[in-house]
C-alpha cells in the first residue's frame, strides 16, 4: 500500500496491509480502531503487538530504518501521518516521539503478555477491554445491542490466533463472556458501511466467521 501523499489513511479489517516488512515510510498514529503488528514466519503470522487509538506504529522510521513488521487492521482503522519536522526541528521532535514510544512499548508489551498467558477467559476478557466493547463481566446489554457487539468483533480465526488458542475454545469462552444474541441461528449479517467515527471500536471484519455466529 502506498503512503507517498501522507494523507490520513482509512483501512478496513482484512484488506491490504498498512505496510510490510522492508517497506520504508513515515510514522503513523492510530486515530480510530486497532492495528495488529505481525512478524511473518514459516508457520504463518506471529502476533507481536496491538496498537490502540493514540499509539504510534512504524516507529522504525524515527531511526530512518525500514519497517520490521507487517501492520494490518485488526478492526477498521483510521491513521494519520506524524510529521517529523524540518531539518532544524527533526532532532527535538524525534526525541519527543521516542520518549512517547518507550512508554507505549512498555504498556503494549504488558497487554500482549496478558493476551497470550493465563486462561482463555482471562485473555479474551482483556481483549474485549482493549477493544472497548461491553461484556458480561462489566456491562449487561441485550437485544440488538448484543448483536452489534458480536458484529463489531474481528473474525473467530483472527481472535484465536491473537490469544493463542483453538477456535473452538475461543468460541466456548466467548459464549460465557458476551451477552446472548437476540435471535438464534442464521447467517452473520454484514452491516452497511458507515463512517468509522460512528462504528463500534472493534470493526466487523468482512472475511471469515463472525464471532458468536454458529
Amino acid at each position: 500500500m502506498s503512503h507517498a501523499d501522507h494523507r490520513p489513511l482509512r483501512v478496513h479489517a482484512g484488506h491490504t496491509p498498512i505496510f510490510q516488512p522492508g517497506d520504508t515510510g513515515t510514522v503513523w498514529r492510530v486515530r480510530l480502531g486497532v492495528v495488529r503488528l505481525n512478524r511473518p514466519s514459516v508457520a504463518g503470522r506471529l502476533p507481536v503487538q496491538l496498537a490502540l487509538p493514540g499509539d504510534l506504529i512504524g516507529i522504525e522510521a524515527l531511526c530512518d530504518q525500514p519497517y520490521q513488521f507487517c501492520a494490518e487492521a485488526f478492526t477498521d482503522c483510521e491513521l494519520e501521518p506524524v510529521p517529523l519536522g524540518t531539518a532544524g526541528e527533526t532532532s527535538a521532535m524525534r526525541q519527543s516521539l521516542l520518549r512517547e514510544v518507550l512508554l507505549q512499548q512498555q504498556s503494549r508489551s504488558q497487554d500482549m503478555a496478558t493476551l497470550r498467558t493465563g486462561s482463555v477467559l482471562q485473555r479474551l476478557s482483556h481483549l474485549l477491554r482493549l477493544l472497548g466493547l461491553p461484556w458480561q463481566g462489566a456491562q449487561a446489554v441485550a437485544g440488538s445491542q448484543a448483536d452489534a457487539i458480536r458484529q463489531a468483533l474481528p473474525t473467530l480465526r483472527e481472535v484465536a490466533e491473537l490469544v493463542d488458542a483453538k477456535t473452538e475454545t475461543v468460541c466456548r469462552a466467548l459464549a460465557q463472556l458476551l451477552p446472548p444474541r437476540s435471535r438464534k441461528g442464521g447467517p452473520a449479517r454484514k452491516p452497511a458501511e458507515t463512517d468509522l467515527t460512528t462504528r463500534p471500536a472493534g470493526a466487523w471484519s468482512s472475511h471469515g466467521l463472525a464471532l458468536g455466529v454458529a
Side-chain angles (χ1 to χ4, degrees):
M1 180 177 292
S2 174
H3 312 301
D5 53 16
H6 287 184
R7 292 178 298 178
L9 181 69
R10 292 188 175 192
V11 183
H12 290 290
H15 287 207
T16 306
I18 300 164
F19 54 73
Q20 299 270 19
D23 290 348
T24 57
T26 188
V27 177
W28 293 88
R29 188 180 298 279
V30 181
R31 294 184 58 184
L32 295 170
V34 179
V35 173
R36 171 176 152 168
L37 298 176
N38 308 304
R39 182 185 295 279
S41 67
V42 176
R45 303 176 304 166
L46 175 64
V48 174
Q49 200 169 82
L50 292 182
L52 307 181
D55 288 351
L56 300 171
I57 63 170
I59 58 177
E60 298 89 343
L62 291 171
C63 302
D64 299 315
Q65 297 293 314
Y67 302 130
Q68 295 184 38
F69 306 120
C70 176
E72 299 178 340
F74 189 61
T75 69
D76 287 0
C77 294
E78 182 177 310
L79 305 96
E80 62 181 359
V82 177
L84 299 181
T86 61
E89 301 170 329
T90 296
S91 178
M93 294 189 69
R94 292 194 182 197
Q95 287 180 16
S96 176
L97 289 170
L98 283 169
R99 287 193 294 269
E100 182 180 347
V101 165
L102 176 61
L103 296 176
Q104 172 189 311
Q105 292 295 95
Q106 290 178 324
S107 179
R108 295 297 163 253
S109 295
Q110 183 175 339
D111 284 332
M112 203 64 196
T114 305
L115 289 171
R116 307 283 287 184
T117 57
S119 70
V120 175
L121 275 174
Q122 291 171 327
R123 301 179 208 180
L124 291 172
S125 296
H126 190 65
L127 177 60
L128 292 173
R129 284 193 290 268
L130 292 178
L131 294 178
L133 294 173
W135 54 291
Q136 284 186 337
Q139 296 173 310
V141 297
S144 60
Q145 188 178 358
D147 291 340
I149 291 171
R150 290 174 176 274
Q151 289 176 334
L153 285 164
T155 66
L156 182 62
R157 177 182 60 81
E158 291 276 351
V159 172
E161 192 174 66
L162 180 68
V163 301
D164 192 25
K166 294 182 178 180
T167 54
E168 297 85 354
T169 305
V170 170
C171 190
R172 288 194 297 269
L174 284 170
Q176 300 179 51
L177 292 172
L178 294 175
R181 296 186 297 272
S182 63
R183 61 188 179 88
K184 298 292 184 180
R189 292 172 295 171
K190 182 174 180 180
E193 294 292 341
T194 57
D195 187 271
L196 293 181
T197 59
T198 65
R199 301 187 68 179
W204 183 89
S205 178
S206 59
H207 63 92
L209 177 66
L211 289 175
V213 179

